[in-house]
Amino acid sequence: MSAAPRSITPSQAARDFLARRHQLFIGGRWVDPAEPGSIEVFDPASEARIATVARGGPRDIDHAVAAARTAFEGEWSRIGSHQRSRLLFRLADELEAHLDLAVELEVLDNGMPRPIAHYSIAKFGCDFLRYYGGWCTKILGETIPVQPHDVANGESLTYTRREPIGVVGAIVPWNSPLIMAVLKLAPALAAGCTVVLKPAELTPMTALLLGDIIAKVGIPAGVVNIVPGYGHDAGAALAAHDGVDKIAFTGSTEVGRKILLAAAGNLKRVTLELGGKSPFVVFPDADLTRVIPGAARGAFFLQGQNCMASTRLFVHDDVFEPVVEGIAKLAGAFRLGPGLSPESDLGPLISAEQRQRVMGYIGDGRNSGAELVCGGDAPAGKGFFVRPTVFAHTSMDMKIAREEIFGPVLCVQSFNDSDLKAVAAEANKTIYGLSGSVWTRDISVAHRMVNLIDSGQVSINCHAAVDPAIPFGGNRQSGWGREFGREGLDPYLKTKATTVMF
Ligand code: NAP
Ligand code: MG
């Protein structure tokens, strides 16, 4: 298992960025908050303060929404779709040009290992912007071949147009900060909307870098506004704001419910990407050389702080022992350390609070009668680390198996039922329905299970396959709506129907 975390010196560029004065990005300018206030930002691997950023509050949200409205009704509404597309491509190019800095800031702010930050920003930052850049010129209405009865005596043409919904409030979590911001910005801008983005208070750094990049590529002032602040304050003000037409939220199910209530005032549209507790079902004929690394990756990627994490493994009795043993061996070999170190496979959790929460669940697991196979502790010393933890012989009446932990804790449950409905019923026994996977060489079993599992995504022989073009989102209390792909544009558009009589 891991060596004690070592401190790694960030590059000069990262140190310069972190040390500068961090204001709010409103109306294309960096401005101070209406009321003085700041947020201290920490590196979760060293627990050292790395930056101080301005804290936005409700009055700043007012200013940002007004700037977004002015841009929406003004310059942005006159920019054609080709130009919007060009701007999104330019944004992707500029993000790519800042990739090293973005990666380093993300690692220092969030704690994730550098290769993961690199892959995710290149793939989901840059590729996502380009994917939606391509959509700007392909947002189509329809012609509808009917003759409405009030034009019965004439000829008519009915067509629809897809119009941007307006001002979007984007509220995002800390687990993959830059990507979460881009997942909202790209479709919103492609659709022709303007945005007020509130990053998580724990991880605002890469959103602020995005402000620099946005100003540089020539996106008009006010089209994107970035207001770091606390959820209960700036976030709540944005969700309730009458000048906002839609909230795009990613975060916990609990806060998702608050967003819905806040949005009721002006009945703004809401999309919610919420929690998960995804099943990973292994049949006895599955290729265990793929299952074992797939399960370890699926559960411990981003230290389990990942909404799609495969935290519930259902393994057939015949292969239960080798699967559990194989995963425990891999989990035990993961090296914990600061994300900037090339020797780290897993980083810290985001905060002391999150570590305490996860350790609380582990304590609960120990008392529940489940077998602790590996991990279960937090290494001493600096950094909010928790060792990857595997509990075997869990059941769906245990809290650790039912609730989203958002940490490196895997529950493994056995089954020997040949009735697929019974297996799927166990897999569906949570309030969530975000992701899931089925592992077997039998195509009939695989497709029957796909039909039976109630999740927005169910993969076969892989877990959490994500791509900008693949729709992503949750069923049940994992959320409302879909992101990614063509479907990911829909929530940013409204349809206008027109009939012309001639
Ligand atoms: P969270 O506590 O729900 O916070 C998410 C965002 O909402 C943060 O920006 C937060 O601000 C803000 N917020 C908090 N209270 C608010 C309020 N009353 N009104 C408006 N905004 C408010 O979630 P988290 O702990 O940061 O992130 C972990 C959760 O996100 C997990 O449940 C995970 O499953 C989910 N998640 C889902 C997806 C997905 O795509 N389905 C992806 C990633 C994560 P502050 O941080 O400043 O409080
Ligand atoms: Mg939070």
Side-chain angles (χ1 to χ4, degrees):
M1 177 75 61
S2 70
R6 296 187 288 125
S7 81
I8 304 286
T9 310
S11 69
Q12 190 60 47
R15 279 184 284 155
D16 288 347
F17 185 89
L18 292 169
R20 80 182 205 194
R21 185 164 160 237
H22 297 287
Q23 296 165 287
L24 315 176
F25 187 65
I26 296 178
R29 291 187 310 125
W30 292 104
V31 298
D32 284 328
E35 284 163 32
S38 58
I39 297 172
E40 308 278 281
V41 183
F42 294 88
D43 168 3
S46 66
E47 302 182 30
R49 184 169 57 78
I50 54 170
T52 302
V53 308
R55 169 188 173 169
R59 283 172 59 197
D60 305 300
I61 293 292
D62 279 346
H63 296 154
V65 171
R69 177 65 56 193
T70 302
F72 179 70
E73 288 172 2
E75 195 177 351
W76 195 235
S77 69
R78 294 189 291 274
I79 281 188
S81 51
H82 279 296
Q83 179 60 4
R84 285 208 310 280
S85 176
R86 250 177 254 129
L87 286 170
L88 279 166
F89 275 82
R90 231 182 270 162
L91 192 54
D93 291 345
E94 202 59 36
L95 180 56
E96 213 157 56
H98 287 79
L99 193 58
D100 288 343
L101 178 58
V103 165
E104 213 175 343
L105 293 176
E106 197 79 319
V107 170
L108 288 166
D109 201 1
N110 163 280
M112 67 177 75
R114 192 198 289 258
I116 291 178
H118 192 279
Y119 170 80
S120 64
I121 294 175
K123 179 84 189 151
F124 288 100
C126 303
D127 283 2
F128 210 86
L129 287 163
R130 293 191 180 104
Y131 175 80
Y132 278 106
W135 270 110
C136 300
T137 50
K138 297 160 195 78
I139 297 171
L140 309 176
E142 294 177 317
T143 54
I144 302 178
V146 293
Q147 192 142 19
H149 67 269
D150 48 340
V151 291
N153 297 323
E155 289 180 62
S156 69
L157 168 70
T158 296
Y159 63 89
T160 60
R161 233 177 14 188
R162 305 280 278 150
E163 298 178 340
I165 205 146
V167 173
V168 173
I171 302 177
V172 296
W174 43 257
N175 66 332
S176 202
L178 180 57
I179 302 318
M180 292 294 153
V182 169
L183 297 188
K184 309 297 186 211
L185 286 180
L189 300 187
C193 297
T194 58
V195 179
V196 176
L197 168 70
K198 193 209 83 68
E201 108 238 352
L202 289 168
T203 55
M205 300 320 303
T206 44
L208 294 169
L209 176 66
L210 209 51
D212 278 0
I213 297 175
I214 282 163
K216 209 165 166 185
V217 300
I219 290 177
V223 171
V224 180
N225 307 275
I226 301 167
V227 184
Y230 288 92
H232 62 83
D233 184 32
L238 187 57
H241 206 289
D242 279 348
V244 172
D245 300 298
K246 172 196 160 55
I247 291 286
F249 174 77
T250 297
S252 60
T253 295
E254 183 194 347
V255 174
R257 255 187 275 280
K258 291 187 188 168
I259 300 280
L260 270 189
L261 293 175
N266 70 339
L267 291 175
K268 59 176 69 68
R269 312 288 201 278
V270 175
T271 42
L272 303 169
E273 292 288 351
L274 308 176
K277 188 83 180 174
S278 297
F280 183 116
V281 186
V282 183
F283 287 90
D285 65 329
D287 177 355
L288 298 193
T289 64
R290 285 186 183 190
V291 165
I292 291 166
R297 209 176 32 248
F300 301 127
F301 178 73
L302 288 176
Q303 296 70 245
Q305 299 172 129
N306 163 24
C307 55
M308 292 172 287
S310 53
T311 44
R312 292 184 300 135
L313 225 62
F314 295 89
V315 185
H316 192 277
D317 268 349
D318 291 355
V319 290
F320 190 83
E321 290 304 325
V323 168
V324 171
E325 225 171 79
I327 294 169
K329 197 164 163 210
L330 287 182
F334 283 140
R335 298 162 303 173
L336 272 61
L340 288 184
S341 163
E343 286 151 36
S344 303
D345 301 310
L346 294 179
L349 300 189
I350 192 68
S351 63
E353 188 193 3
Q354 183 71 2
R355 179 176 57 183
Q356 194 183 355
R357 197 173 157 266
V358 171
M359 290 309 294
Y361 275 107
I362 290 175
D364 219 85
R366 285 176 190 271
N367 297 330
S368 68
E371 178 196 342
L372 178 65
V373 181
C374 69
D377 63 328
K382 289 282 183 201
F384 309 124
F385 295 91
V386 171
R387 288 189 213 279
T389 299
V390 178
F391 281 105
H393 303 294
T394 56
S395 64
M396 285 309 300
D397 54 9
M398 294 176 186
K399 198 169 155 189
I400 47 165
R402 277 198 322 272
E403 296 184 9
E404 183 183 51
I405 299 175
F406 226 56
V409 182
L410 172 62
C411 296
V412 196
Q413 177 170 341
S414 68
F415 71 89
N416 58 16
D417 213 311
S418 55
D419 174 5
L420 297 186
K421 281 193 181 150
V423 179
E426 286 293 291
N428 288 334
K429 238 183 222 175
T430 68
I431 60 168
Y432 301 111
L434 189 58
S435 191
S437 55
V438 181
W439 298 69
T440 175
R441 298 180 217 235
D442 182 327
I443 57 167
S444 302
V445 168
H447 287 284
R448 280 194 200 116
M449 286 299 292
V450 166
N451 286 347
L452 291 166
I453 293 178
D454 186 9
S455 289
Q457 178 189 56
V458 187
S459 302
I460 300 170
N461 295 328
C462 59
H463 187 88
V466 278
D467 185 276
I470 303 177
F472 173 77
N475 295 353
R476 296 182 283 164
Q477 294 185 38
S478 284
W480 280 6
R482 293 291 179 266
E483 291 190 311
F484 299 49
R486 185 192 52 72
E487 282 188 59
L489 264 181
D490 291 343
Y492 297 92
L493 294 165
K494 56 191 177 189
T495 299
K496 180 176 282 171
T498 298
T499 295
V500 51
M501 193 171 110
F502 47 92

PDB file of all heavy atoms in Angstrom, residues 242-264:
ATOM      1  N   ASP A 242     -35.678  35.071 -10.643  1.00  0.00           N
ATOM      2  CA  ASP A 242     -36.736  35.217 -11.660  1.00  0.00           C
ATOM      3  C   ASP A 242     -36.189  35.507 -13.050  1.00  0.00           C
ATOM      4  O   ASP A 242     -36.888  35.321 -14.049  1.00  0.00           O
ATOM      5  CB  ASP A 242     -37.683  36.357 -11.252  1.00  0.00           C
ATOM      6  CG  ASP A 242     -38.693  35.884 -10.219  1.00  0.00           C
ATOM      7  OD1 ASP A 242     -38.788  34.657 -10.007  1.00  0.00           O
ATOM      8  OD2 ASP A 242     -39.364  36.747  -9.615  1.00  0.00           O
ATOM      9  N   GLY A 243     -34.969  35.998 -13.117  1.00  0.00           N
ATOM     10  CA  GLY A 243     -34.377  36.326 -14.423  1.00  0.00           C
ATOM     11  C   GLY A 243     -33.689  35.138 -15.079  1.00  0.00           C
ATOM     12  O   GLY A 243     -33.110  35.271 -16.157  1.00  0.00           O
ATOM     13  N   VAL A 244     -33.737  33.988 -14.421  1.00  0.00           N
ATOM     14  CA  VAL A 244     -33.094  32.791 -14.976  1.00  0.00           C
ATOM     15  C   VAL A 244     -34.166  31.897 -15.598  1.00  0.00           C
ATOM     16  O   VAL A 244     -35.210  31.657 -14.995  1.00  0.00           O
ATOM     17  CB  VAL A 244     -32.316  32.035 -13.862  1.00  0.00           C
ATOM     18  CG1 VAL A 244     -31.807  30.695 -14.344  1.00  0.00           C
ATOM     19  CG2 VAL A 244     -31.170  32.900 -13.344  1.00  0.00           C
ATOM     20  N   ASP A 245     -33.904  31.422 -16.825  1.00  0.00           N
ATOM     21  CA  ASP A 245     -34.900  30.610 -17.539  1.00  0.00           C
ATOM     22  C   ASP A 245     -34.725  29.120 -17.323  1.00  0.00           C
ATOM     23  O   ASP A 245     -35.641  28.340 -17.570  1.00  0.00           O
ATOM     24  CB  ASP A 245     -34.810  30.908 -19.037  1.00  0.00           C
ATOM     25  CG  ASP A 245     -35.082  32.377 -19.313  1.00  0.00           C
ATOM     26  OD1 ASP A 245     -36.201  32.832 -19.018  1.00  0.00           O
ATOM     27  OD2 ASP A 245     -34.168  33.081 -19.782  1.00  0.00           O
ATOM     28  N   LYS A 246     -33.523  28.733 -16.932  1.00  0.00           N
ATOM     29  CA  LYS A 246     -33.276  27.290 -16.740  1.00  0.00           C
ATOM     30  C   LYS A 246     -32.103  27.099 -15.783  1.00  0.00           C
ATOM     31  O   LYS A 246     -31.120  27.837 -15.838  1.00  0.00           O
ATOM     32  CB  LYS A 246     -32.918  26.650 -18.089  1.00  0.00           C
ATOM     33  CG  LYS A 246     -32.453  25.225 -17.950  1.00  0.00           C
ATOM     34  CD  LYS A 246     -31.749  24.735 -19.196  1.00  0.00           C
ATOM     35  CE  LYS A 246     -30.867  23.528 -18.898  1.00  0.00           C
ATOM     36  NZ  LYS A 246     -31.547  22.408 -18.264  1.00  0.00           N
ATOM     37  N   ILE A 247     -32.234  26.076 -14.938  1.00  0.00           N
ATOM     38  CA  ILE A 247     -31.098  25.672 -14.100  1.00  0.00           C
ATOM     39  C   ILE A 247     -30.604  24.318 -14.599  1.00  0.00           C
ATOM     40  O   ILE A 247     -31.387  23.382 -14.772  1.00  0.00           O
ATOM     41  CB  ILE A 247     -31.502  25.542 -12.609  1.00  0.00           C
ATOM     42  CG1 ILE A 247     -31.810  26.918 -12.009  1.00  0.00           C
ATOM     43  CG2 ILE A 247     -30.406  24.852 -11.807  1.00  0.00           C
ATOM     44  CD1 ILE A 247     -30.613  27.812 -11.736  1.00  0.00           C
ATOM     45  N   ALA A 248     -29.300  24.252 -14.849  1.00  0.00           N
ATOM     46  CA  ALA A 248     -28.649  22.978 -15.156  1.00  0.00           C
ATOM     47  C   ALA A 248     -27.806  22.638 -13.936  1.00  0.00           C
ATOM     48  O   ALA A 248     -26.831  23.331 -13.631  1.00  0.00           O
ATOM     49  CB  ALA A 248     -27.771  23.119 -16.393  1.00  0.00           C
ATOM     50  N   PHE A 249     -28.213  21.602 -13.219  1.00  0.00           N
ATOM     51  CA  PHE A 249     -27.584  21.292 -11.927  1.00  0.00           C
ATOM     52  C   PHE A 249     -26.948  19.913 -11.946  1.00  0.00           C
ATOM     53  O   PHE A 249     -27.558  18.951 -12.415  1.00  0.00           O
ATOM     54  CB  PHE A 249     -28.643  21.337 -10.818  1.00  0.00           C
ATOM     55  CG  PHE A 249     -28.129  20.882  -9.471  1.00  0.00           C
ATOM     56  CD1 PHE A 249     -27.342  21.715  -8.700  1.00  0.00           C
ATOM     57  CD2 PHE A 249     -28.431  19.614  -8.985  1.00  0.00           C
ATOM     58  CE1 PHE A 249     -26.858  21.297  -7.454  1.00  0.00           C
ATOM     59  CE2 PHE A 249     -27.953  19.185  -7.742  1.00  0.00           C
ATOM     60  CZ  PHE A 249     -27.163  20.035  -6.983  1.00  0.00           C
ATOM     61  N   THR A 250     -25.739  19.813 -11.427  1.00  0.00           N
ATOM     62  CA  THR A 250     -25.153  18.515 -11.108  1.00  0.00           C
ATOM     63  C   THR A 250     -24.747  18.552  -9.652  1.00  0.00           C
ATOM     64  O   THR A 250     -24.078  19.498  -9.208  1.00  0.00           O
ATOM     65  CB  THR A 250     -23.926  18.206 -11.989  1.00  0.00           C
ATOM     66  OG1 THR A 250     -24.339  18.136 -13.349  1.00  0.00           O
ATOM     67  CG2 THR A 250     -23.303  16.871 -11.607  1.00  0.00           C
ATOM     68  N   GLY A 251     -25.141  17.529  -8.909  1.00  0.00           N
ATOM     69  CA  GLY A 251     -24.795  17.476  -7.490  1.00  0.00           C
ATOM     70  C   GLY A 251     -25.586  16.393  -6.805  1.00  0.00           C
ATOM     71  O   GLY A 251     -26.045  15.432  -7.429  1.00  0.00           O
ATOM     72  N   SER A 252     -25.790  16.561  -5.522  1.00  0.00           N
ATOM     73  CA  SER A 252     -26.448  15.518  -4.731  1.00  0.00           C
ATOM     74  C   SER A 252     -27.964  15.533  -4.937  1.00  0.00           C
ATOM     75  O   SER A 252     -28.548  16.565  -5.286  1.00  0.00           O
ATOM     76  CB  SER A 252     -26.135  15.734  -3.251  1.00  0.00           C
ATOM     77  OG  SER A 252     -26.611  16.993  -2.853  1.00  0.00           O
ATOM     78  N   THR A 253     -28.578  14.406  -4.673  1.00  0.00           N
ATOM     79  CA  THR A 253     -30.035  14.295  -4.781  1.00  0.00           C
ATOM     80  C   THR A 253     -30.704  15.247  -3.783  1.00  0.00           C
ATOM     81  O   THR A 253     -31.718  15.884  -4.087  1.00  0.00           O
ATOM     82  CB  THR A 253     -30.447  12.832  -4.560  1.00  0.00           C
ATOM     83  OG1 THR A 253     -29.899  12.067  -5.643  1.00  0.00           O
ATOM     84  CG2 THR A 253     -31.952  12.645  -4.538  1.00  0.00           C
ATOM     85  N   GLU A 254     -30.092  15.360  -2.617  1.00  0.00           N
ATOM     86  CA  GLU A 254     -30.654  16.216  -1.571  1.00  0.00           C
ATOM     87  C   GLU A 254     -30.721  17.687  -2.037  1.00  0.00           C
ATOM     88  O   GLU A 254     -31.761  18.349  -1.915  1.00  0.00           O
ATOM     89  CB  GLU A 254     -29.734  16.077  -0.355  1.00  0.00           C
ATOM     90  CG  GLU A 254     -30.144  16.811   0.862  1.00  0.00           C
ATOM     91  CD  GLU A 254     -28.975  16.866   1.872  1.00  0.00           C
ATOM     92  OE1 GLU A 254     -27.978  16.140   1.715  1.00  0.00           O
ATOM     93  OE2 GLU A 254     -29.085  17.679   2.797  1.00  0.00           O
ATOM     94  N   VAL A 255     -29.623  18.183  -2.597  1.00  0.00           N
ATOM     95  CA  VAL A 255     -29.631  19.577  -3.074  1.00  0.00           C
ATOM     96  C   VAL A 255     -30.492  19.689  -4.341  1.00  0.00           C
ATOM     97  O   VAL A 255     -31.164  20.702  -4.544  1.00  0.00           O
ATOM     98  CB  VAL A 255     -28.196  20.112  -3.295  1.00  0.00           C
ATOM     99  CG1 VAL A 255     -28.221  21.503  -3.923  1.00  0.00           C
ATOM    100  CG2 VAL A 255     -27.436  20.157  -1.968  1.00  0.00           C
ATOM    101  N   GLY A 256     -30.528  18.646  -5.145  1.00  0.00           N
ATOM    102  CA  GLY A 256     -31.392  18.646  -6.332  1.00  0.00           C
ATOM    103  C   GLY A 256     -32.841  18.954  -5.968  1.00  0.00           C
ATOM    104  O   GLY A 256     -33.531  19.712  -6.657  1.00  0.00           O
ATOM    105  N   ARG A 257     -33.284  18.382  -4.863  1.00  0.00           N
ATOM    106  CA  ARG A 257     -34.655  18.637  -4.397  1.00  0.00           C
ATOM    107  C   ARG A 257     -34.836  20.110  -4.035  1.00  0.00           C
ATOM    108  O   ARG A 257     -35.865  20.719  -4.326  1.00  0.00           O
ATOM    109  CB  ARG A 257     -34.946  17.770  -3.163  1.00  0.00           C
ATOM    110  CG  ARG A 257     -35.839  16.590  -3.471  1.00  0.00           C
ATOM    111  CD  ARG A 257     -36.244  15.869  -2.202  1.00  0.00           C
ATOM    112  NE  ARG A 257     -35.229  14.901  -1.804  1.00  0.00           N
ATOM    113  CZ  ARG A 257     -35.113  13.703  -2.354  1.00  0.00           C
ATOM    114  NH1 ARG A 257     -35.940  13.317  -3.286  1.00  0.00           N
ATOM    115  NH2 ARG A 257     -34.174  12.882  -1.957  1.00  0.00           N
ATOM    116  N   LYS A 258     -33.812  20.700  -3.398  1.00  0.00           N
ATOM    117  CA  LYS A 258     -33.896  22.125  -3.036  1.00  0.00           C
ATOM    118  C   LYS A 258     -33.945  22.994  -4.298  1.00  0.00           C
ATOM    119  O   LYS A 258     -34.632  24.008  -4.347  1.00  0.00           O
ATOM    120  CB  LYS A 258     -32.670  22.532  -2.208  1.00  0.00           C
ATOM    121  CG  LYS A 258     -32.639  21.918  -0.839  1.00  0.00           C
ATOM    122  CD  LYS A 258     -31.495  22.514  -0.026  1.00  0.00           C
ATOM    123  CE  LYS A 258     -31.335  21.752   1.281  1.00  0.00           C
ATOM    124  NZ  LYS A 258     -30.101  22.088   1.980  1.00  0.00           N
ATOM    125  N   ILE A 259     -33.204  22.584  -5.314  1.00  0.00           N
ATOM    126  CA  ILE A 259     -33.191  23.342  -6.570  1.00  0.00           C
ATOM    127  C   ILE A 259     -34.602  23.366  -7.172  1.00  0.00           C
ATOM    128  O   ILE A 259     -35.091  24.401  -7.635  1.00  0.00           O
ATOM    129  CB  ILE A 259     -32.204  22.693  -7.587  1.00  0.00           C
ATOM    130  CG1 ILE A 259     -30.783  22.680  -7.028  1.00  0.00           C
ATOM    131  CG2 ILE A 259     -32.301  23.340  -8.967  1.00  0.00           C
ATOM    132  CD1 ILE A 259     -29.999  23.927  -7.119  1.00  0.00           C
ATOM    133  N   LEU A 260     -35.236  22.195  -7.149  1.00  0.00           N
ATOM    134  CA  LEU A 260     -36.597  22.107  -7.702  1.00  0.00           C
ATOM    135  C   LEU A 260     -37.546  23.074  -6.992  1.00  0.00           C
ATOM    136  O   LEU A 260     -38.332  23.777  -7.626  1.00  0.00           O
ATOM    137  CB  LEU A 260     -37.147  20.702  -7.510  1.00  0.00           C
ATOM    138  CG  LEU A 260     -36.902  19.701  -8.595  1.00  0.00           C
ATOM    139  CD1 LEU A 260     -37.714  18.447  -8.319  1.00  0.00           C
ATOM    140  CD2 LEU A 260     -37.284  20.274  -9.953  1.00  0.00           C
ATOM    141  N   LEU A 261     -37.468  23.076  -5.669  1.00  0.00           N
ATOM    142  CA  LEU A 261     -38.359  23.955  -4.900  1.00  0.00           C
ATOM    143  C   LEU A 261     -38.061  25.411  -5.224  1.00  0.00           C
ATOM    144  O   LEU A 261     -38.973  26.220  -5.430  1.00  0.00           O
ATOM    145  CB  LEU A 261     -38.194  23.695  -3.400  1.00  0.00           C
ATOM    146  CG  LEU A 261     -38.675  22.326  -2.919  1.00  0.00           C
ATOM    147  CD1 LEU A 261     -38.347  22.120  -1.451  1.00  0.00           C
ATOM    148  CD2 LEU A 261     -40.185  22.169  -3.153  1.00  0.00           C
ATOM    149  N   ALA A 262     -36.771  25.751  -5.294  1.00  0.00           N
ATOM    150  CA  ALA A 262     -36.389  27.148  -5.568  1.00  0.00           C
ATOM    151  C   ALA A 262     -36.837  27.558  -6.961  1.00  0.00           C
ATOM    152  O   ALA A 262     -37.182  28.728  -7.195  1.00  0.00           O
ATOM    153  CB  ALA A 262     -34.882  27.308  -5.424  1.00  0.00           C
ATOM    154  N   ALA A 263     -36.839  26.611  -7.888  1.00  0.00           N
ATOM    155  CA  ALA A 263     -37.173  26.927  -9.280  1.00  0.00           C
ATOM    156  C   ALA A 263     -38.666  27.129  -9.483  1.00  0.00           C
ATOM    157  O   ALA A 263     -39.104  27.641 -10.525  1.00  0.00           O
ATOM    158  CB  ALA A 263     -36.684  25.805 -10.192  1.00  0.00           C
ATOM    159  N   ALA A 264     -39.460  26.743  -8.485  1.00  0.00           N
ATOM    160  CA  ALA A 264     -40.913  26.788  -8.655  1.00  0.00           C
ATOM    161  C   ALA A 264     -41.429  28.223  -8.811  1.00  0.00           C
ATOM    162  O   ALA A 264     -42.458  28.447  -9.450  1.00  0.00           O
ATOM    163  CB  ALA A 264     -41.590  26.110  -7.464  1.00  0.00           C
TER     164      ALA A 264
END
